[in-house]
Amino acid sequence: MTLEERFRADLLRTYVDAAKRGYHATYFMQMLETYGGVEMAKRLLDDDQVQSGLYRLAELGLLRLSVENLVLNPVYDELFLSSVKNAARKRLEDLGFEPGGWD
């Protein structure tokens, strides 16, 4: 399995975990199917507007399941430019979340 495939699999796992807790991120799945994992993450984090799904995850106490948090997993460092990782970190910090909790 390539690193990109592993990232996509981890994104799917976060979707399943969130769905088990009552949050079904349909836009997330549409983007994942359309763009794949890495490109989806880049598009989400390149957008100045934060998606409502991140706020919903925050409300549910599930920010560890966010794309932003997964992008910051050191395992995936080589997949993303520092600008993408910085955007992810800022969004999480703005919500009072310390990145981590990767299995």
Side-chain angles (χ1 to χ4, degrees):
M1 178 181 286
T2 68
L3 194 57
E4 287 190 14
E5 290 168 339
R6 182 175 173 191
F7 183 74
R8 185 180 189 285
D10 279 349
L11 285 171
L12 283 172
R13 197 171 2 270
T14 65
Y15 173 83
V16 170
D17 287 351
K20 287 178 184 175
R21 291 163 177 83
Y23 177 55
H24 300 275
T26 54
Y27 181 65
F28 172 95
M29 284 304 295
Q30 290 170 351
M31 285 195 72
L32 186 58
E33 291 302 317
T34 301
Y35 301 111
V38 172
E39 183 61 25
M40 177 193 84
K42 289 176 181 177
R43 286 174 177 261
L44 288 174
L45 290 162
D46 192 38
D47 190 347
D48 288 338
Q49 184 166 347
V50 178
Q51 281 64 39
S52 61
L54 185 64
Y55 296 119
R56 183 69 180 129
L57 289 173
E59 290 171 7
L60 296 170
L62 298 174
L63 283 173
R64 68 178 179 77
L65 299 178
S66 68
V67 172
E68 288 78 358
N69 192 50
L70 192 57
V71 163
L72 294 172
N73 184 332
V75 169
Y76 300 118
D77 269 351
E78 68 184 65
L79 294 179
F80 302 101
L81 296 173
S82 59
S83 60
V84 173
K85 292 183 275 190
N86 289 340
R89 186 173 287 102
K90 177 163 181 3
R91 288 181 185 186
L92 293 175
E93 287 174 356
D94 287 351
L95 292 168
F97 181 78
E98 179 70 29
W102 309 291
D103 298 330

Short mmCIF file of all heavy atoms in Angstrom, two decimals, residues 45 50-51 53-59 61-73 84-102:
data_model
loop_
_atom_site.label_atom_id
_atom_site.label_comp_id
_atom_site.label_asym_id
_atom_site.label_seq_id
_atom_site.Cartn_x
_atom_site.Cartn_y
_atom_site.Cartn_z
N LEU A 45 -7.89 22.51 2.53
CA LEU A 45 -7.01 23.38 3.31
C LEU A 45 -6.50 24.58 2.53
O LEU A 45 -5.99 25.53 3.11
CB LEU A 45 -5.86 22.56 3.87
CG LEU A 45 -6.34 21.61 4.98
CD1 LEU A 45 -5.35 20.51 5.23
CD2 LEU A 45 -6.65 22.40 6.24
N VAL A 50 -13.40 27.86 6.06
CA VAL A 50 -13.41 26.59 6.77
C VAL A 50 -14.76 25.92 6.55
O VAL A 50 -15.81 26.55 6.67
CB VAL A 50 -13.15 26.81 8.27
CG1 VAL A 50 -13.20 25.50 9.03
CG2 VAL A 50 -11.81 27.51 8.49
N GLN A 51 -14.73 24.63 6.23
CA GLN A 51 -15.97 23.89 5.98
C GLN A 51 -16.73 23.68 7.28
O GLN A 51 -16.15 23.53 8.36
CB GLN A 51 -15.66 22.52 5.35
CG GLN A 51 -15.35 22.59 3.87
CD GLN A 51 -14.09 23.37 3.56
OE1 GLN A 51 -13.11 23.28 4.26
NE2 GLN A 51 -14.13 24.16 2.49
N GLY A 53 -18.16 21.16 8.34
CA GLY A 53 -17.89 19.87 8.95
C GLY A 53 -16.87 19.94 10.06
O GLY A 53 -16.97 19.21 11.06
N LEU A 54 -15.89 20.82 9.93
CA LEU A 54 -14.89 20.96 10.99
C LEU A 54 -15.54 21.50 12.26
O LEU A 54 -15.25 21.02 13.36
CB LEU A 54 -13.75 21.87 10.53
CG LEU A 54 -12.58 22.00 11.52
CD1 LEU A 54 -11.88 20.65 11.70
CD2 LEU A 54 -11.60 23.05 11.04
N TYR A 55 -16.44 22.45 12.09
CA TYR A 55 -17.14 22.99 13.26
C TYR A 55 -18.05 21.94 13.89
O TYR A 55 -18.18 21.87 15.11
CB TYR A 55 -17.93 24.24 12.88
CG TYR A 55 -17.05 25.38 12.44
CD1 TYR A 55 -17.17 25.91 11.16
CD2 TYR A 55 -16.09 25.92 13.29
CE1 TYR A 55 -16.35 26.96 10.74
CE2 TYR A 55 -15.27 26.96 12.87
CZ TYR A 55 -15.41 27.46 11.60
OH TYR A 55 -14.60 28.49 11.19
N ARG A 56 -18.65 21.12 13.06
CA ARG A 56 -19.52 20.05 13.58
C ARG A 56 -18.69 19.04 14.38
O ARG A 56 -19.10 18.61 15.46
CB ARG A 56 -20.26 19.37 12.43
CG ARG A 56 -21.22 18.31 12.88
CD ARG A 56 -22.42 18.92 13.61
NE ARG A 56 -23.31 17.86 14.02
CZ ARG A 56 -23.78 17.72 15.25
NH1 ARG A 56 -23.49 18.60 16.18
NH2 ARG A 56 -24.57 16.72 15.55
N LEU A 57 -17.53 18.68 13.85
CA LEU A 57 -16.64 17.77 14.59
C LEU A 57 -16.22 18.39 15.92
O LEU A 57 -16.15 17.69 16.94
CB LEU A 57 -15.41 17.41 13.76
CG LEU A 57 -15.65 16.49 12.56
CD1 LEU A 57 -14.39 16.37 11.72
CD2 LEU A 57 -16.14 15.11 13.01
N ALA A 58 -15.99 19.69 15.92
CA ALA A 58 -15.62 20.38 17.16
C ALA A 58 -16.77 20.31 18.17
O ALA A 58 -16.55 20.01 19.35
CB ALA A 58 -15.25 21.83 16.88
N GLU A 59 -17.99 20.54 17.70
CA GLU A 59 -19.16 20.48 18.58
C GLU A 59 -19.30 19.10 19.21
O GLU A 59 -19.72 18.97 20.36
CB GLU A 59 -20.44 20.79 17.80
CG GLU A 59 -20.59 22.21 17.37
CD GLU A 59 -21.76 22.40 16.41
OE1 GLU A 59 -22.54 21.45 16.18
OE2 GLU A 59 -21.89 23.52 15.88
N GLY A 61 -16.84 17.04 19.79
CA GLY A 61 -15.62 16.63 20.47
C GLY A 61 -14.82 15.61 19.67
O GLY A 61 -14.16 14.75 20.25
N LEU A 62 -14.91 15.71 18.34
CA LEU A 62 -14.28 14.71 17.46
C LEU A 62 -13.22 15.30 16.54
O LEU A 62 -12.99 14.78 15.45
CB LEU A 62 -15.36 14.01 16.63
CG LEU A 62 -16.41 13.21 17.40
CD1 LEU A 62 -17.48 12.69 16.44
CD2 LEU A 62 -15.77 12.07 18.16
N LEU A 63 -12.57 16.37 16.94
CA LEU A 63 -11.58 16.98 16.06
C LEU A 63 -10.41 16.05 15.74
O LEU A 63 -9.75 16.22 14.72
CB LEU A 63 -11.07 18.30 16.64
CG LEU A 63 -12.05 19.45 16.50
CD1 LEU A 63 -11.55 20.67 17.26
CD2 LEU A 63 -12.28 19.79 15.03
N ARG A 64 -10.19 15.04 16.55
CA ARG A 64 -9.13 14.08 16.23
C ARG A 64 -9.43 13.34 14.94
O ARG A 64 -8.55 12.78 14.31
CB ARG A 64 -8.90 13.12 17.38
CG ARG A 64 -10.05 12.17 17.63
CD ARG A 64 -9.78 11.18 18.75
NE ARG A 64 -10.91 10.33 18.96
CZ ARG A 64 -11.25 9.30 18.19
NH1 ARG A 64 -10.50 8.98 17.17
NH2 ARG A 64 -12.32 8.58 18.46
N LEU A 65 -10.72 13.35 14.52
CA LEU A 65 -11.14 12.67 13.29
C LEU A 65 -11.12 13.60 12.07
O LEU A 65 -11.50 13.19 10.98
CB LEU A 65 -12.55 12.10 13.47
CG LEU A 65 -12.71 11.07 14.57
CD1 LEU A 65 -14.17 10.62 14.66
CD2 LEU A 65 -11.80 9.87 14.37
N SER A 66 -10.68 14.81 12.25
CA SER A 66 -10.71 15.79 11.15
C SER A 66 -9.59 15.55 10.13
O SER A 66 -8.54 15.00 10.44
CB SER A 66 -10.60 17.21 11.70
OG SER A 66 -9.31 17.43 12.26
N VAL A 67 -9.85 16.01 8.92
CA VAL A 67 -8.83 15.99 7.86
C VAL A 67 -7.61 16.77 8.35
O VAL A 67 -6.47 16.35 8.15
CB VAL A 67 -9.39 16.60 6.55
CG1 VAL A 67 -8.29 16.77 5.52
CG2 VAL A 67 -10.53 15.76 6.01
N GLU A 68 -7.87 17.90 9.00
CA GLU A 68 -6.79 18.74 9.49
C GLU A 68 -5.86 17.97 10.42
O GLU A 68 -4.64 18.07 10.30
CB GLU A 68 -7.37 19.97 10.21
CG GLU A 68 -8.01 20.99 9.31
CD GLU A 68 -9.42 20.65 8.81
OE1 GLU A 68 -9.94 19.55 9.14
OE2 GLU A 68 -9.99 21.47 8.08
N ASN A 69 -6.43 17.22 11.33
CA ASN A 69 -5.61 16.46 12.27
C ASN A 69 -4.84 15.36 11.56
O ASN A 69 -3.66 15.14 11.84
CB ASN A 69 -6.48 15.88 13.39
CG ASN A 69 -5.64 15.34 14.53
OD1 ASN A 69 -4.74 16.01 15.03
ND2 ASN A 69 -5.93 14.13 14.94
N LEU A 70 -5.47 14.70 10.63
CA LEU A 70 -4.80 13.61 9.91
C LEU A 70 -3.65 14.14 9.05
O LEU A 70 -2.59 13.51 8.98
CB LEU A 70 -5.80 12.84 9.05
CG LEU A 70 -5.31 11.52 8.47
CD1 LEU A 70 -4.82 10.56 9.56
CD2 LEU A 70 -6.41 10.86 7.65
N VAL A 71 -3.83 15.29 8.44
CA VAL A 71 -2.77 15.91 7.64
C VAL A 71 -1.53 16.16 8.51
O VAL A 71 -0.40 16.07 8.03
CB VAL A 71 -3.26 17.23 7.00
CG1 VAL A 71 -2.12 18.10 6.53
CG2 VAL A 71 -4.20 16.92 5.84
N LEU A 72 -1.73 16.43 9.78
CA LEU A 72 -0.62 16.74 10.68
C LEU A 72 0.04 15.51 11.28
O LEU A 72 1.04 15.63 11.99
CB LEU A 72 -1.10 17.68 11.78
CG LEU A 72 -1.52 19.06 11.27
CD1 LEU A 72 -2.16 19.86 12.39
CD2 LEU A 72 -0.34 19.80 10.67
N ASN A 73 -0.50 14.35 11.00
CA ASN A 73 0.14 13.10 11.46
C ASN A 73 1.53 13.02 10.82
O ASN A 73 1.64 13.07 9.60
CB ASN A 73 -0.72 11.91 11.07
CG ASN A 73 -0.20 10.60 11.59
OD1 ASN A 73 1.00 10.42 11.81
ND2 ASN A 73 -1.09 9.66 11.78
N VAL A 84 0.18 23.76 3.61
CA VAL A 84 -1.03 22.97 3.88
C VAL A 84 -1.06 22.57 5.36
O VAL A 84 -2.10 22.69 6.02
CB VAL A 84 -1.08 21.72 2.97
CG1 VAL A 84 -2.23 20.81 3.34
CG2 VAL A 84 -1.19 22.16 1.51
N LYS A 85 0.07 22.11 5.87
CA LYS A 85 0.14 21.71 7.28
C LYS A 85 -0.07 22.90 8.20
O LYS A 85 -0.75 22.78 9.23
CB LYS A 85 1.46 21.01 7.57
CG LYS A 85 1.56 19.65 6.88
CD LYS A 85 2.83 18.92 7.22
CE LYS A 85 3.93 19.38 6.31
NZ LYS A 85 5.15 18.54 6.41
N ASN A 86 0.46 24.06 7.81
CA ASN A 86 0.26 25.27 8.63
C ASN A 86 -1.21 25.67 8.68
O ASN A 86 -1.72 26.08 9.72
CB ASN A 86 1.12 26.42 8.11
CG ASN A 86 2.59 26.21 8.38
OD1 ASN A 86 2.98 25.43 9.24
ND2 ASN A 86 3.42 26.91 7.62
N ALA A 87 -1.89 25.56 7.55
CA ALA A 87 -3.33 25.87 7.51
C ALA A 87 -4.10 24.92 8.40
O ALA A 87 -5.00 25.33 9.15
CB ALA A 87 -3.85 25.81 6.07
N ALA A 88 -3.75 23.64 8.36
CA ALA A 88 -4.42 22.64 9.21
C ALA A 88 -4.18 22.95 10.68
O ALA A 88 -5.11 22.93 11.50
CB ALA A 88 -3.91 21.25 8.86
N ARG A 89 -2.94 23.24 11.02
CA ARG A 89 -2.59 23.53 12.41
C ARG A 89 -3.33 24.77 12.92
O ARG A 89 -3.88 24.76 14.03
CB ARG A 89 -1.08 23.74 12.54
CG ARG A 89 -0.59 23.90 13.97
CD ARG A 89 0.93 23.92 14.08
NE ARG A 89 1.46 22.58 13.86
CZ ARG A 89 2.04 22.14 12.72
NH1 ARG A 89 2.17 22.94 11.69
NH2 ARG A 89 2.48 20.91 12.61
N LYS A 90 -3.39 25.81 12.10
CA LYS A 90 -4.07 27.04 12.52
C LYS A 90 -5.55 26.80 12.76
O LYS A 90 -6.12 27.28 13.75
CB LYS A 90 -3.88 28.14 11.48
CG LYS A 90 -4.65 29.42 11.87
CD LYS A 90 -4.20 30.61 11.13
CE LYS A 90 -4.91 31.89 11.51
NZ LYS A 90 -5.88 31.90 12.55
N ARG A 91 -6.19 26.06 11.88
CA ARG A 91 -7.63 25.78 12.06
C ARG A 91 -7.89 25.04 13.36
O ARG A 91 -8.83 25.36 14.09
CB ARG A 91 -8.17 24.97 10.88
CG ARG A 91 -8.28 25.81 9.63
CD ARG A 91 -8.82 25.03 8.48
NE ARG A 91 -8.80 25.85 7.27
CZ ARG A 91 -9.31 25.48 6.12
NH1 ARG A 91 -9.91 24.30 6.01
NH2 ARG A 91 -9.25 26.27 5.08
N LEU A 92 -7.05 24.06 13.65
CA LEU A 92 -7.23 23.30 14.89
C LEU A 92 -6.92 24.16 16.11
O LEU A 92 -7.65 24.11 17.11
CB LEU A 92 -6.36 22.04 14.87
CG LEU A 92 -6.77 21.00 13.83
CD1 LEU A 92 -5.78 19.85 13.80
CD2 LEU A 92 -8.19 20.47 14.09
N GLU A 93 -5.86 24.95 16.03
CA GLU A 93 -5.53 25.83 17.15
C GLU A 93 -6.63 26.84 17.40
O GLU A 93 -6.95 27.15 18.55
CB GLU A 93 -4.21 26.56 16.88
CG GLU A 93 -3.00 25.65 17.01
CD GLU A 93 -1.70 26.34 16.60
OE1 GLU A 93 -1.73 27.51 16.13
OE2 GLU A 93 -0.65 25.68 16.73
N ASP A 94 -7.23 27.37 16.32
CA ASP A 94 -8.33 28.33 16.47
C ASP A 94 -9.52 27.71 17.20
O ASP A 94 -10.31 28.44 17.82
CB ASP A 94 -8.78 28.85 15.10
CG ASP A 94 -7.79 29.82 14.48
OD1 ASP A 94 -6.83 30.24 15.16
OD2 ASP A 94 -7.97 30.15 13.29
N LEU A 95 -9.62 26.40 17.15
CA LEU A 95 -10.71 25.70 17.83
C LEU A 95 -10.26 25.12 19.18
O LEU A 95 -10.99 24.38 19.81
CB LEU A 95 -11.26 24.58 16.93
CG LEU A 95 -11.99 25.09 15.68
CD1 LEU A 95 -12.24 23.95 14.71
CD2 LEU A 95 -13.29 25.77 16.07
N GLY A 96 -9.04 25.46 19.58
CA GLY A 96 -8.53 25.02 20.87
C GLY A 96 -8.13 23.55 20.92
O GLY A 96 -8.10 22.96 22.00
N PHE A 97 -7.79 23.00 19.77
CA PHE A 97 -7.43 21.57 19.72
C PHE A 97 -5.95 21.40 19.45
O PHE A 97 -5.41 22.01 18.51
CB PHE A 97 -8.24 20.87 18.62
CG PHE A 97 -7.96 19.39 18.51
CD1 PHE A 97 -8.53 18.52 19.41
CD2 PHE A 97 -7.12 18.90 17.52
CE1 PHE A 97 -8.27 17.15 19.32
CE2 PHE A 97 -6.86 17.55 17.41
CZ PHE A 97 -7.44 16.68 18.32
N GLU A 98 -5.31 20.58 20.24
CA GLU A 98 -3.90 20.23 20.05
C GLU A 98 -3.84 19.01 19.15
O GLU A 98 -4.38 17.95 19.51
CB GLU A 98 -3.25 19.93 21.40
CG GLU A 98 -1.81 19.54 21.32
CD GLU A 98 -0.89 20.69 20.92
OE1 GLU A 98 -1.22 21.86 21.23
OE2 GLU A 98 0.15 20.42 20.30
N PRO A 99 -3.21 19.11 17.98
CA PRO A 99 -3.14 17.96 17.05
C PRO A 99 -2.53 16.74 17.73
O PRO A 99 -1.64 16.85 18.58
CB PRO A 99 -2.23 18.46 15.94
CG PRO A 99 -2.36 19.94 15.98
CD PRO A 99 -2.54 20.28 17.42
N GLY A 100 -3.04 15.59 17.36
CA GLY A 100 -2.54 14.34 17.91
C GLY A 100 -3.63 13.29 17.98
O GLY A 100 -4.69 13.44 17.39
N GLY A 101 -3.36 12.23 18.75
CA GLY A 101 -4.34 11.16 18.90
C GLY A 101 -4.34 10.18 17.76
O GLY A 101 -5.31 9.47 17.54
N TRP A 102 -3.23 10.13 17.02
CA TRP A 102 -3.15 9.21 15.89
C TRP A 102 -2.86 7.82 16.40
O TRP A 102 -2.03 7.62 17.27
CB TRP A 102 -2.04 9.66 14.93
CG TRP A 102 -2.16 11.09 14.54
CD1 TRP A 102 -3.13 11.63 13.76
CD2 TRP A 102 -1.32 12.17 14.92
NE1 TRP A 102 -2.93 12.99 13.62
CE2 TRP A 102 -1.81 13.34 14.33
CE3 TRP A 102 -0.17 12.26 15.71
CZ2 TRP A 102 -1.21 14.58 14.50
CZ3 TRP A 102 0.43 13.50 15.88
CH2 TRP A 102 -0.09 14.64 15.27
#
